[in-house]
Amino acid sequence: MSMPPNSADAGTGSGTGSATGPDVIVIGGGLHGCSAAFHIASAGRKVLLLERDVIARHASSASAGGVRRLFRHPAEIPLTMASLELWHAMKDMLGDTGDFRPTGQLRVAETEEEMARLEARVKLTRSMGYDHEVLVDRKRMFEIAPALGPQCLGAIHVERDGYAFPYKSTLAFRNAAAKLGADIREGVGVRGIVRDGGRWKVDTNAGEFAAPVLVNAAGAWGARIAEMVGERVPLKALALMMMVSARMPHFLDPTVGTLGRQMSFKQMQSGAVVVGGGHRGTPDLDTGITQLDFRKLKTSADTIGGVFPIMRKAEIVRAWAGIEGCTPDDIPYIGPSRTHDGLYHSFGFCGHGFQLGPIVGSITAELITKGRTNLPIEPFRIDRFGPDPDAVSWEASRAA
Amino acid sequence: MTSAPDLAIVGAGPAGLAAAIEGARLGLAVALYDEQPEPGGQIFRAAESVAAGKGAPLAAFGADYAEGPQLVARFRASPAAAGYMPRTTIWLLDRQRTLGHVQDGKARMLRPKRVLIATGAQERPVPLPGWTTPGVMTVGAAQGLMKSAGQVPEPPFALCGSGPLLYQFAAQLVAAGERRFTVLDTTPKGRWARALPFLPGALRDTDLLLKGLGLMQKVRMAGVPVLRHVRDVAVHGNGRVEHVTFRHGNHLGELPVQLLLLHQGVVPNVSLSLSVPLRHVWDAAQRCFRPALDAWGNSDVAGIAVAGDGGGIGGWQAATAQGELAALEAAHALGRIERAERDRQAAPIRARLKTALAARGLIDTLYAPPPLAALADATIVCRCEEVTAGQVRAAIAMGDTNPNAVKSRTRAGMGPCQGRMCGLTVSELVAHARGLPPDAAGTYRLRPPIKPLPVAVLADLDTSAVEEEEDAT
């Protein structure tokens, strides 16, 4: 077993720290924490995962479950391309598909101006050397999604993308990690972390745990965990609202987004239609309770009735929101701590981290076990906003 | 009502009506929302129609029911009647007291100063083999049809289960002239012995107790077959109930029926209170979850209270007392009466409440539901999504540690009823499998809208009252 090369004090292989203690503690039992636990355990390390609530409690189960490469931030494209291959290999990798269904993704233009933006987008990804985003005309678009409203003019289509069942995907990683010996604990909340002689001592409501390596995959709570070791970063908690309809007759295969209006839309295998689009409720990080804002869901209802006329007759049976962490530039924090050895971050995925779950867990495991990764993670460095999160301009970061 | 009411009450049963009357007397602007076309709730369903000679004859429902029209008449005469909104469904209540309702296809949101949840009880679901077969319904539903439409079930049929309502409805059928049915009483042997220690408490309300025993006698005297200590009930039929099988003593029984009416007591209807979410606790005596409340019905969320069976089963007399107490508390919280005055007026109401609850220990012990751990794997738990006990157990074995995880995996509780029919069962199955008490296993998280809302209605939602309130603050 190899020693973590980038972490001189991280112990000595399998016998790190103590004879019985874990090699790595992962904080957070969402998709990213479970994926990291699986990949680290696959590399032969002993993993302890601490989840303060239950597995997949927030962003991971409240997610829309989009497995989408379409319209990714340029910095995320290399990661999203690699992650998709892992989604297609889930069955081999985990013994469980996580209910991934590769039915494609579509981004629709409703105006000429939006159509021009789609064309420009495809030109950009082509110039970067990627050809997964394909511009389709009105006729082809209606072949792919006949239920779209007549105002829709064309779309970007991405084949081999699709959606998964977020809870089942997360549990697939959790179970695969547990099978490899990872110790997964629910109801264990982290209260404090100290670095003590080359080991992280993690104080929790269930006692103290220690390991030479720590992974922060705490989602919207990631900045709180980072701050416990003095690494302050800007992060906002968002409650992204979703709603679901009663079962409807089958009318749609791909996941559909619109360019001009906030909407993500898919019909599940059950016939239920799941609607998202980044409409925000109010999160409470202390209680984990999210409050919905039906004024915005009203807008969402109006949008889906416009884009899919068949939806005007649908019934909404449930709406919800999970708590997600968002960064100023709308891309996550991934990679090693810049203040401590033996600490790796993977949080703040800004509402589009689901598809990246499989690859980022793998990257984190590579960093721990090999000290490097071939994928470009420099844009996601934890210290990219400087030492003072309060001085960061969210508007300027977003614009850049 | 356009401006936000002082006190918005959800449910026009005994608790809601009593709170509305008392609230209006104390000078509060009251709004009372109810799904039914007439006030009265489930217990006094269609009280005005029945009193006016429509539906079944009033006498059929017994002396208790006769008090319904009186309560409703008091409400109609009260200033609170101005704020009565029948045929109105509540689909949202959040921790900011944002209340969403829909009436005649128009949805609105508003933010009352206080909200009282008086959503009453629902019948405890009785998962047993074949219970989703057409032709099986609950005793409460059959009783509701009799009250509102004067409809008496067609023989051959049977009443099956346990609890006061079983004999109450049997006696009502006898009074209405119908004797061609069978009662399958599933109350286990030895329950009376276990319930005896509660008798002294129950004797404080001897009236209620004697009424219960009297009903049982009346049904037997009428020649209705009553089989006691029945076990292992199963429903059979091809697309429609044809017969029911059961164990009675050492015998296997079989009864041809075209209708089977099930009942296993009532539990708080917590759909709205769970969706807020209010904090809930497990009531071990009543084997159900109920909101955690103080002596005034206040929940853990400021300005939201619960009265009546929705806060724990106590019956209609307890419900009216709790409704009045909640109204006094609302008047005090809104500065209409001093604390001392509230307490002074509350004293006689509390005495009434104590009497009304005296027989609870006896009833809860006598009619405790059978443990769900023995549920056969093939038995359906979630009716909407047709999820079986076996599928729930398999999900737990696959790593699901709580009811919400089971829901995510199996879709149990994701149908239109949002787990109203399977929530308790799934919580108990998880608790049993993990060796935890049900409150440690937890409940489903309920999500608004708690009643399905058409997309077109949501798209046309009137939010102006909330906007105005936020602009003003």
Side-chain angles (χ1 to χ4, degrees):
Chain A
M1 188 170 293
S2 66
M3 215 178 90
N6 64 329
S7 152
D9 58 356
T12 52
S14 63
T16 53
S18 74
T20 53
D23 301 320
V24 182
I25 293 176
V26 176
I27 300 173
L31 177 64
H32 285 277
C34 290
S35 172
F38 164 75
H39 287 287
I40 297 164
S42 293
R45 301 298 169 94
K46 209 163 145 188
V47 179
L48 170 67
L49 184 148
L50 305 178
E51 164 55 48
R52 74 166 205 157
D53 200 307
V54 294
I55 295 299
R57 167 68 181 85
H58 283 289
S60 294
S61 66
S63 155
V67 176
R68 173 182 63 82
R69 292 173 296 167
L70 189 160
F71 246 101
R72 285 275 169 184
H73 188 288
E76 287 184 351
I77 295 178
L79 276 61
T80 197
M81 299 301 281
S83 207
L84 186 79
E85 300 314 317
L86 294 183
W87 278 103
H88 280 272
M90 284 283 257
K91 181 79 185 165
D92 291 334
M93 185 168 69
L94 306 178
D96 184 328
T97 63
D99 247 23
F100 171 50
R101 295 172 197 275
T103 51
Q105 288 259 351
L106 207 59
R107 182 70 55 99
V108 174
E110 295 180 275
T111 64
E112 293 294 347
E113 184 270 339
E114 287 170 23
M115 202 59 212
R117 277 166 60 202
L118 290 185
E119 283 162 19
R121 166 69 190 188
V122 172
K123 210 170 274 176
L124 171 74
T125 45
R126 286 285 148 92
S127 74
M128 293 172 67
Y130 298 104
D131 60 2
H132 58 291
E133 294 180 347
V134 176
L135 199 66
V136 294
D137 64 12
R138 197 161 182 272
K139 181 168 171 290
R140 176 73 188 123
M141 177 194 71
F142 280 118
E143 283 167 13
I144 297 166
L148 282 166
Q151 77 281 12
C152 299
L153 299 176
I156 293 178
H157 183 222
V158 179
E159 281 187 89
R160 295 184 76 233
D161 278 10
Y163 71 92
F165 207 121
Y167 171 76
K168 289 187 186 173
S169 311
T170 306
L171 253 277
F173 276 105
R174 179 229 174 266
N175 287 345
K179 210 171 271 179
L180 292 168
D183 181 2
I184 315 273
R185 309 259 184 115
E186 293 187 340
V188 181
V190 174
R191 297 189 297 213
I193 302 168
V194 288
R195 188 73 170 159
D196 178 25
R199 292 164 61 78
W200 294 106
K201 285 192 169 170
V202 180
D203 176 43
T204 77
N205 58 301
E208 190 182 270
F209 300 92
V213 178
L214 195 61
V215 175
N216 172 13
W221 292 262
R224 287 188 176 183
I225 297 295
E227 185 154 12
M228 287 180 188
V229 298
E231 201 158 26
R232 297 182 64 220
V233 290
L235 190 75
K236 273 184 190 163
L238 301 183
L240 301 175
M241 297 191 291
M242 307 279 307
M243 52 188 193
V244 64
S245 78
R247 291 173 185 235
M248 299 185 64
H250 175 82
F251 66 89
L252 181 70
D253 291 317
T255 300
V256 178
T258 38
L259 195 61
R261 308 196 251 186
Q262 279 179 269
M263 184 196 85
S264 93
F265 187 99
K266 72 173 69 72
Q267 185 173 29
M268 311 289 283
Q269 195 78 359
S270 65
V273 171
V274 176
V275 181
H279 301 280
R280 294 179 191 179
T282 311
D284 183 334
L285 279 180
D286 296 318
T287 61
I289 293 173
T290 53
Q291 185 151 307
L292 304 181
D293 185 345
F294 271 85
R295 285 171 287 189
K296 292 174 192 159
L297 292 178
K298 169 188 171 155
T299 307
S300 185
D302 186 53
T303 300
I304 59 176
V307 178
F308 289 100
I310 189 176
M311 287 304 291
R312 288 175 200 156
K313 288 175 286 179
E315 288 203 316
I316 298 301
V317 293
R318 207 161 52 249
W320 69 89
I323 304 182
E324 166 68 324
C326 187
T327 65
D329 55 4
D330 210 33
I331 56 174
Y333 298 118
I334 303 170
S337 159
R338 299 295 167 174
T339 54
H340 295 276
D341 288 335
L343 171 61
Y344 301 87
H345 298 290
S346 165
F347 67 93
F349 284 83
C350 313
H352 45 256
F354 184 69
Q355 194 270 358
L356 297 174
I359 197 65
V360 176
S362 161
I363 290 171
T364 304
E366 278 189 308
L367 292 172
I368 291 170
T369 60
K370 300 188 187 122
R372 58 176 171 75
T373 172
N374 290 332
L375 284 161
I377 58 167
E378 188 62 18
F380 311 108
R381 349 177 2 130
I382 185 98
D383 62 348
R384 65 185 183 269
F385 299 106
D388 182 5
D390 305 326
V392 175
S393 163
W394 286 68
E395 290 71 28
S397 306
R398 194 57 56 98
Chain B
M1 187 164 304
T2 47
S3 67
D6 295 324
L7 176 61
I9 302 166
V10 184
L17 290 173
I21 296 166
E22 185 71 358
R25 185 187 69 78
L26 292 160
L28 302 179
V30 174
L32 176 58
Y33 307 97
D34 193 73
E35 283 191 320
Q36 300 297 325
E38 286 184 37
Q42 294 303 331
I43 184 149
F44 299 138
R45 194 185 176 104
E48 287 174 325
S49 293
V50 171
K54 297 170 220 157
L58 182 57
F61 297 110
D64 249 22
Y65 187 79
E67 305 205 33
Q70 291 173 27
L71 179 62
V72 172
R74 280 209 293 135
F75 169 69
R76 291 287 195 191
S78 148
Y84 174 51
M85 287 184 64
R87 299 182 316 278
T88 303
T89 297
I90 299 298
W91 51 271
L92 168 72
L93 175 62
D94 69 22
R95 293 164 76 88
Q96 253 62 57
R97 296 186 314 284
T98 315
L99 191 69
H101 63 74
V102 57
Q103 186 189 38
D104 300 332
K106 180 65 193 170
R108 290 186 175 81
M109 288 194 333
L110 69 162
R111 203 165 281 155
K113 298 186 183 80
R114 305 269 307 181
V115 176
L116 180 65
I117 297 176
T119 47
Q122 66 168 71
E123 281 177 275
R124 182 190 294 275
V126 190
L128 52 80
W131 69 304
T132 59
T133 313
V136 181
M137 61 193 279
T138 68
V139 169
Q143 192 186 38
L145 279 174
M146 187 157 141
K147 284 173 186 168
S148 57
Q151 210 173 306
V152 177
E154 274 292 304
F157 66 94
L159 273 56
C160 173
S162 182
L165 188 65
L166 195 71
Y167 287 102
Q168 190 198 61
F169 186 55
Q172 287 166 359
L173 287 168
V174 168
E178 183 55 74
R179 291 156 193 225
R180 293 165 295 168
F181 64 97
T182 306
V183 176
L184 303 174
D185 185 338
T186 58
T187 311
K189 252 190 192 134
R191 275 291 168 78
W192 271 101
R194 240 196 283 170
L196 275 181
F198 294 98
L199 204 52
L203 286 174
R204 254 180 276 150
D205 189 15
T206 43
D207 185 39
L208 183 75
L209 191 66
L210 292 176
K211 225 181 310 182
L213 293 169
L215 289 174
M216 223 180 286
Q217 279 305 103
K218 190 176 163 191
V219 173
R220 299 190 131 178
M221 297 283 281
V224 173
V226 176
L227 303 185
R228 296 183 62 201
H229 314 310
V230 164
R231 310 183 311 276
D232 300 341
V233 177
V235 181
H236 309 271
N238 202 355
R240 177 89 212 163
V241 177
E242 285 159 12
H243 62 277
V244 51
T245 56
F246 53 87
R247 218 172 264 280
H248 183 230
N250 295 324
H251 304 284
L252 274 176
E254 185 177 330
L255 200 65
V257 290
Q258 60 171 7
L259 180 70
L260 181 67
L261 302 177
L262 295 175
H263 183 71
Q264 183 61 71
V266 294
V267 294
N269 177 354
V270 290
S271 299
L272 188 61
S273 56
L274 274 181
S275 77
V276 174
L278 304 184
R279 192 168 77 80
H280 283 63
V281 293
W282 174 252
D283 187 323
Q286 299 192 341
R287 289 273 299 280
C288 61
F289 288 95
R290 59 176 167 78
L293 306 172
D294 72 7
W296 301 96
N298 292 311
S299 73
D300 65 316
V301 175
I304 300 181
V306 184
D309 278 354
I313 302 304
W316 74 270
Q317 281 138 323
T320 56
Q322 289 163 343
E324 288 165 22
L325 291 173
L328 280 171
E329 170 68 355
H332 169 60
L334 297 174
R336 307 297 166 86
I337 54 173
E338 297 292 324
R339 173 185 288 264
E341 182 58 19
R342 176 198 68 176
D343 295 349
R344 191 188 66 75
Q345 293 193 31
I349 304 172
R350 289 203 187 283
R352 254 170 55 213
L353 179 61
K354 196 172 173 188
T355 310
L357 293 176
R360 263 348 283 183
L362 179 85
I363 294 172
D364 294 343
T365 308
L366 193 54
Y367 299 120
L372 288 167
L375 212 56
D377 274 348
T379 302
I380 285 178
V381 165
C382 165
R383 307 178 62 114
C384 302
E385 299 285 333
E386 300 192 335
V387 179
T388 64
Q391 286 170 291
V392 171
R393 292 190 179 110
I396 298 164
M398 285 167 86
D400 296 349
T401 58
N402 60 86
N404 293 294
V406 172
K407 172 172 151 185
S408 291
R409 183 187 300 279
T410 64
R411 291 189 57 82
M414 281 197 186
C417 93
Q418 281 231 49
R420 209 166 57 84
M421 298 299 286
C422 64
L424 267 177
T425 313
V426 169
S427 287
E428 285 209 46
L429 288 176
V430 170
H432 181 259
R434 302 194 61 212
L436 299 169
D439 46 348
T443 65
Y444 285 149
R445 277 187 297 278
L446 261 73
R447 302 298 198 183
I450 60 160
K451 297 283 170 69
L453 205 56
V455 167
V457 172
L458 177 54
D460 190 38
L461 171 66
D462 179 355
T463 63
S464 57
V466 170
E467 312 289 352
E468 280 163 26
E469 193 247 23
E470 285 186 2
D471 287 348
T473 52

